[in-house]
Amino acid sequence: RGGTAESARQLGVDEHAVVKTLVMQDEHARPLLVLMHGDKQVSTKNLARAIGAKSVEPCKPEAAQRASGYLIGGTSPFAFKRAGVPVYVEATILALPRICINGGRRGFLVGIEPGVLTGLLGAKPVSCAL
């Protein structure tokens, strides 16, 4: 409980380096993942523009759980249930030396180099932080 602020406090890291995994959908209800700094929000307007969609909005919790296979609050971009879901990462995350990201269970974060997001997940950098 407490989201990224509490995770950052307990781990002794800056909340900016705690990355949240957000399940969103485009105007056709196709899911997509957005990786964002813990202390920032996603501009859905800027994200839609960056990915060539008419609109983007957060998925309803049931749809996010169905697509991801994870419980809300424990969504990891790794081992996502539905194959082929595009992953987008806030570009400024890639400049950090190390990040903490959900490992697939509520309260379970792993520390990794941000290059893993583009190398392993094929995450596409976007600028959509508020």
Side-chain angles (χ1 to χ4, degrees), residues 45-77:
K45 192 176 193 177
N46 290 346
L47 178 60
R49 191 176 306 121
I51 67 172
K54 273 189 177 179
S55 65
V56 173
E57 64 183 7
C59 281
K60 290 191 176 1
E62 312 81 51
Q65 193 169 334
R66 224 179 8 262
S68 70
Y70 293 108
L71 294 174
I72 301 304
T75 305
S76 173

Side-chain angles (χ1 to χ4, degrees), residues 81-103:
K81 179 180 176 184
R82 188 167 172 182
V85 173
V87 180
Y88 300 95
V89 59
E90 171 59 36
T92 54
I93 289 172
L94 300 174
L96 296 172
R98 193 155 185 81
I99 60 169
C100 294
I101 193 164
N102 196 290

Side-chain angles (χ1 to χ4, degrees), residues 27-45:
E27 69 274 12
H28 303 291
R30 290 184 296 229
L32 57 106
L33 283 180
V34 181
L35 306 176
M36 180 57 67
H37 296 283
D39 60 348
K40 299 286 183 182
Q41 294 181 347
V42 174
S43 165
T44 55
K45 192 176 193 177

Side-chain angles (χ1 to χ4, degrees), residues 80-129:
F80 210 70
K81 179 180 176 184
R82 188 167 172 182
V85 173
V87 180
Y88 300 95
V89 59
E90 171 59 36
T92 54
I93 289 172
L94 300 174
L96 296 172
R98 193 155 185 81
I99 60 169
C100 294
I101 193 164
N102 196 290
R105 191 175 51 195
R106 290 179 184 155
F108 179 66
L109 277 76
V110 293
I112 61 171
E113 293 180 13
V116 170
L117 303 174
T118 54
L120 185 63
L121 295 177
K124 296 169 190 75
V126 293
S127 295
C128 62

